[in-house]
């Protein structure tokens, strides 16, 4: 039995470290699936399992724990950056400005309430209390990357190796944080006298009045004498709208048109356009007709096929510059990215992983499929080189010292902020540097979750030794109470303003608040009470900026305030 005892007690052995992490992560993940009141703590329970392991002395060398903690954090935030990068800058469009501004206010209110609680309820002469309140803040807003950023910033401030362990405050505030987000969001419903049924009916009315610019196809007969004798390029430029003519019947002959095809009176055309532009296009070209361009009418058999962009050389190229109709004799009528149908605009940038609907003769379609790649197997393998190139650049960027007047130490974005910013930039603009950033959703989630559980397990194991003294015999109840205030007060203020001043739909507000707190359980609850996409839209609109601000403000608080103590 000595071999078994040694396996659990010899801390410097590889087998012991692997066993330690495997046990902590497995137990934490399984316990995190248990729901209480319909809400579970999820993978964050790994932190609590780690605390228990550390408390009973089941631990490892500090240097090894620190390495796995930092590597897990880097992997976690980098994969988040790649995920949110493509939509980060688009979230600042007209529809998202107000939601993002409200989200920024909520983030700042979280920080403000944290400082108010610190000065009201804690001894400000104790240098450990403010760092612990930072941990409480990130437990209250259920944001693990922020905890990692604050933890990493503290190590740069306390260079003597005596950095405070803030995971205890995080652990105290997190459970009520999850419940408080949902509870405070529901409180807004009663404060503003909102009915779920009325809100959903308003969403239905809004969809009917303002259709989204999704693809719409229609058969038209050319009846405008002005366009007779003009080619499709001239007609499109005059309309100043994106249209695709996929087929044309002239003198009972069906063919694939290109930009130089000339339209004549009484030609039948099959037009694909944005739904919102359909009426204007019909008014200009001619009336919609009941027509069917059958294959037996054609000189060539036309087929439609969905092709996946897997050729990395296509990454970043625009549809308009590919000249599909004139060079390849086909038309692209639909583009799907991450399950969303997009209109085939000439300015659309192709990304690896896009699915395009191509219409044309079979031989030509096959030629385009070969050009675009169309290899599903190629997508199954993640572009691992891009990930580690990005991490290298992110670490270098995060290590740059930025001297700011009044700060005792230079500001560094660190191991969390640097990789996050670089990942966002690569996710959005990587194609310009010939970097393919596509990973399947499952691959991204796997790498992200591995990084997260390594980080949480490490933090928990390191915090476990002093957890009892800090929480149970110390200010544990204060951390729980102040964390609850940090959670609910900003939600009640921002949610009420979003409703009463800006008149946002309640389901959009639910999604916005869940995204601001980067809290998937809150989004899941919002989706369970709404049959529309409003919660998901609100969540995805503010999530990228909120995640960035949570990580960035963690470091700012530590470097500005904790370093002066």
């Amino acid at each position: 039995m000595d071999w078994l005892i040694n396996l659990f007690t010899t801390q410097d052995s590889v087998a012991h470290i692997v066993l330690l992490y495997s046990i902590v992560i497995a137990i934490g993940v399984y316990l995190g699936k248990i729901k209480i009141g319909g809400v579970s703590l999820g993978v964050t329970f790994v932190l609590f399992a780690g605390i228990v392991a550390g408390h009973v002395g089941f631990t490892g060398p500090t240097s090894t724990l620190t390495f796995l903690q930092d590597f897990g954090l880097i992997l976690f935030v980098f994969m988040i950056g790649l995920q949110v990068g493509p939509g980060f800058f688009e979230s600042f469009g007209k529809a998202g400005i107000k939601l993002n501004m409200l989200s920024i206010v909520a983030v700042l209110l979280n920080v403000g309430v944290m400082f108010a609680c610190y000065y009201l309820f804690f001894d400000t002469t104790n240098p450990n209390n403010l760092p612990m309140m930072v941990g409480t803040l990130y437990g209250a807003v259920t944001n693990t990357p922020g905890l990692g950023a604050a933890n990493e910033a503290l190590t740069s401030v306390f260079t003597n190796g005596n950095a405070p362990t803030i995971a205890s405050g995080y652990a105290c505030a997190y459970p009520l944080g999850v419940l408080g987000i949902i509870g405070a969001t529901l409180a807004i419903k009663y404060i503003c006298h909102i009915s779920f049924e009325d809100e959903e009916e308003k969403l239905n009315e809004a969809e009917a009045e303002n259709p989204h610019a999704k693809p719409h196809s229609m058969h038209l007969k050319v009846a405008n004498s002005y366009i007779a004798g003009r080619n499709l390029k001239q007609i499109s430029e005059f309309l100043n709208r994106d249209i695709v003519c996929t087929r044309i019947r002239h003198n009972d002959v069906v063919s694939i048109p290109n930009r130089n095809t000339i339209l004549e009176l009484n030609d039948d055309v099959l037009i694909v356009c944005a739904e919102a532009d359909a009426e204007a296009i019909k008014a200009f070209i001619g009336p919609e007709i009941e027509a069917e361009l059958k294959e037996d009418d054609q000189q060539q058999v036309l087929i439609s096929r969905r092709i996946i962009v897997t050729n990395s050389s296509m990454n970043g190229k625009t549809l308009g510059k590919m000249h599909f109709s004139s060079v390849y004799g086909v038309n692209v009528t639909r583009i799907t990215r991450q399950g969303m149908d997009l209109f085939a605009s000439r300015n659309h940038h192709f990304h690896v992983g896009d699915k395009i609907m191509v219409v044309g003769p079979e031989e030509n379609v096959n030629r385009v499929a070969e050009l675009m790649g169309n290899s599903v197997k190629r997508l199954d393998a993640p572009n691992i080189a891009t990930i580690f190139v990005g991490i290298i650049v992110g670490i270098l960027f995060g290590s740059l010292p930025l001297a700011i007047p009044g700060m005792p130490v230079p500001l560094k974005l660190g191991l969390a902020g640097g990789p996050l910013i670089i990942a966002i930039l690569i996710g959005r603009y990587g194609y310009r540097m010939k970097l393919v950033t596509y990973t399947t959703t499952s691959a991204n989630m796997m790498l992200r979750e591995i990084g997260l559980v390594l980080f949480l397990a490490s933090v928990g194991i390191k915090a476990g030794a002093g957890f009892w003294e800090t929480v149970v015999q110390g200010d544990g109840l204060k951390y729980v109470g102040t964390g609850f205030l940090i959670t609910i007060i900003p939600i009640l203020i921002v949610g009420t303003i979003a409703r009463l001043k800006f008149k946002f739909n309640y389901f959009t507000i639910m999604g916005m608040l869940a995204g601001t707190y980067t809290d998937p359980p809150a989004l899941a609850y919002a989706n369970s009470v709404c049959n529309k996409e409003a919660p998901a839209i609100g969540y995805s609109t503010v999530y990228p900026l909120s995640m960035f601000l949570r990580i960035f403000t963690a470091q700012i608080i530590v470097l500005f305030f904790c370093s002066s103590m």
Side-chain angles (χ1 to χ4, degrees):
M1 292 292 291
D2 288 344
W3 66 270
L4 186 59
I5 295 173
N6 290 334
L7 188 60
F8 279 86
T9 58
T10 307
Q11 295 187 5
D12 57 353
S13 73
V14 174
H16 172 84
I17 297 297
V18 173
L19 184 68
L20 168 64
Y21 275 85
S22 297
I23 291 174
V24 168
I25 292 171
I27 291 175
V29 170
Y30 279 118
L31 290 178
K33 293 181 179 180
I34 299 174
K35 291 187 177 181
I36 300 175
V39 178
S40 66
L41 294 184
V43 74
T44 308
F45 215 104
V46 171
L47 174 69
F48 297 94
I51 288 174
V52 173
H55 181 68
V56 300
F58 186 29
T59 183
T62 302
S63 59
T64 304
L65 297 178
T66 302
F67 163 73
L68 290 173
Q69 171 187 314
D70 291 343
F71 179 71
L73 175 64
I74 291 169
L75 196 59
F76 178 47
V77 298
F78 189 84
M79 298 313 296
I80 285 177
L82 279 186
Q83 180 197 30
V84 305
F88 185 80
F89 297 99
E90 281 76 2
S91 68
F92 296 102
K94 291 182 179 179
I97 287 289
K98 290 181 181 178
L99 287 176
N100 275 291
M101 291 302 296
L102 288 167
S103 181
I104 292 171
V105 171
V107 172
L108 295 178
L109 282 173
N110 287 132
V111 176
V113 174
M114 184 271 290
F115 275 109
C117 291
Y118 167 66
Y119 286 111
L120 286 173
F121 303 119
F122 291 89
D123 178 9
T124 56
T125 61
N126 187 336
N128 288 329
N129 279 341
L130 182 55
M132 284 294 291
M133 281 302 294
V134 175
T136 303
L137 164 66
Y138 283 94
V141 299
T142 68
N143 187 266
T144 308
L147 171 68
N151 215 27
E152 196 263 332
L154 281 168
T155 60
S156 67
V157 172
F158 294 85
T159 55
N160 56 5
N162 295 323
T165 303
I166 64 175
S168 300
Y170 178 92
C172 289
Y174 189 92
L176 272 185
V178 174
L179 297 174
I181 294 169
I182 297 174
T185 304
L186 282 174
I188 296 169
K189 172 179 181 289
Y190 296 100
I191 292 172
C192 300
H193 307 289
I194 295 169
S195 164
F196 281 164
E197 292 76 14
D198 291 344
E199 294 304 291
E200 193 148 344
E201 181 60 32
K202 289 176 182 177
L203 288 177
N204 290 332
E205 293 173 0
E207 287 181 2
E209 293 174 3
N210 300 299
H212 297 291
K214 54 188 177 182
H216 176 77
S217 61
M218 53 189 174
H219 289 88
L220 304 179
K221 180 173 287 293
V222 178
N224 184 353
S225 58
Y226 174 81
I227 64 176
R230 301 179 186 272
N231 61 37
L232 284 171
K233 179 184 177 183
Q234 293 170 319
I235 294 170
S236 178
E237 289 174 349
F238 183 83
L239 273 169
N240 196 27
R241 288 176 169 85
D242 290 313
I243 65 170
V244 175
C245 183
T246 62
R247 298 178 194 177
I248 180 172
R249 189 203 309 264
H250 179 71
N251 294 333
D252 292 328
V253 176
V254 177
S255 62
I256 299 284
N258 58 44
R259 62 191 302 182
N260 297 314
T261 299
I262 294 175
L263 297 189
E264 300 290 351
L265 286 175
N266 298 318
D267 283 352
D268 295 343
V269 291
L270 177 57
I271 297 292
V272 178
C273 63
E275 191 175 79
D277 295 334
E279 292 301 320
I281 292 170
K282 280 194 289 186
F284 182 71
I285 294 178
E288 188 168 4
I289 59 174
E290 292 291 334
E292 187 174 349
L293 304 183
K294 297 180 181 179
E295 292 184 353
D296 56 7
D297 288 337
Q298 304 176 42
Q299 293 178 326
Q300 301 183 79
V301 176
L302 303 181
I303 66 169
S304 61
R305 180 181 301 167
R306 194 172 290 276
I307 294 172
I308 303 175
V309 180
T310 60
N311 183 355
S312 59
S313 65
M314 294 294 108
N315 212 33
K317 290 192 175 181
T318 58
L319 175 60
K321 294 181 179 179
M322 294 298 296
H323 306 296
F324 283 110
S325 60
S326 59
V327 176
Y328 297 98
V330 300
N331 282 315
V332 175
T333 61
R334 299 284 196 284
I335 299 170
T336 304
R337 178 177 295 166
Q338 296 179 349
M340 222 174 139
D341 278 341
L342 307 172
F343 176 65
S345 165
R346 289 177 55 82
N347 296 320
H348 174 84
H349 286 275
F350 287 118
H351 286 191
V352 170
D354 285 355
K355 296 179 181 178
I356 62 175
M357 180 64 75
V358 178
V359 178
E362 184 172 8
E363 181 181 348
N364 296 6
V365 170
N366 290 338
R367 192 180 301 121
V368 171
E370 184 178 352
L371 172 72
M372 305 304 285
N374 202 36
S375 174
V376 177
K377 289 184 178 179
R378 195 177 299 178
L379 291 182
D380 290 338
N383 297 284
I384 198 102
T386 298
I387 293 172
F388 282 97
V389 167
I391 288 175
I392 292 170
V393 178
I395 291 173
L396 294 173
F397 183 63
S399 300
L400 287 174
L402 305 173
I404 298 178
M407 287 189 63
V409 294
L411 172 66
K412 294 181 181 179
L413 294 175
L415 298 179
L420 176 71
I421 292 175
I422 294 301
I424 289 173
L425 294 175
I426 288 177
R428 178 62 180 87
Y429 299 108
Y431 67 87
R432 295 185 180 179
M433 297 170 283
K434 307 302 180 183
L435 291 175
V436 179
T437 59
Y438 175 82
T439 57
T440 62
T441 303
S442 58
N444 185 295
M445 287 295 295
M446 175 63 76
L447 290 172
R448 187 167 56 176
E449 291 296 292
I450 288 175
L452 178 58
V453 295
L454 286 176
F455 169 76
L456 289 173
S458 302
V459 171
I461 294 168
K462 290 169 69 176
F467 185 77
W468 181 266
E469 291 78 10
T470 302
V471 176
V472 179
Q473 298 178 355
D475 294 325
L477 290 179
K478 281 188 180 180
Y479 298 140
V480 173
T482 54
F484 189 65
L485 294 177
I486 293 169
T487 300
I488 65 170
I489 290 176
I491 290 178
L492 295 176
I493 294 173
V494 171
T496 303
I497 292 173
R499 178 63 179 185
L500 298 182
K501 180 173 177 58
F502 295 104
K503 310 299 182 184
F504 279 112
N505 186 277
Y506 177 67
F507 294 122
T508 301
I509 295 172
M510 293 181 79
M512 180 268 292
L513 292 172
T516 300
Y517 281 68
T518 63
D519 187 58
L523 176 63
Y525 175 76
N527 284 331
S528 70
V529 297
C530 178
N531 295 321
K532 301 294 182 181
E533 296 298 317
I537 292 172
Y539 184 92
S540 60
T541 298
V542 303
Y543 178 88
L545 180 62
S546 297
M547 179 63 77
F548 172 77
L549 287 177
R550 294 294 184 191
I551 293 174
F552 189 67
T553 53
Q555 296 179 308
I556 294 296
I557 294 170
V558 170
L559 295 174
F560 265 101
F561 297 97
C562 296
S563 60
S564 60
M565 301 182 65

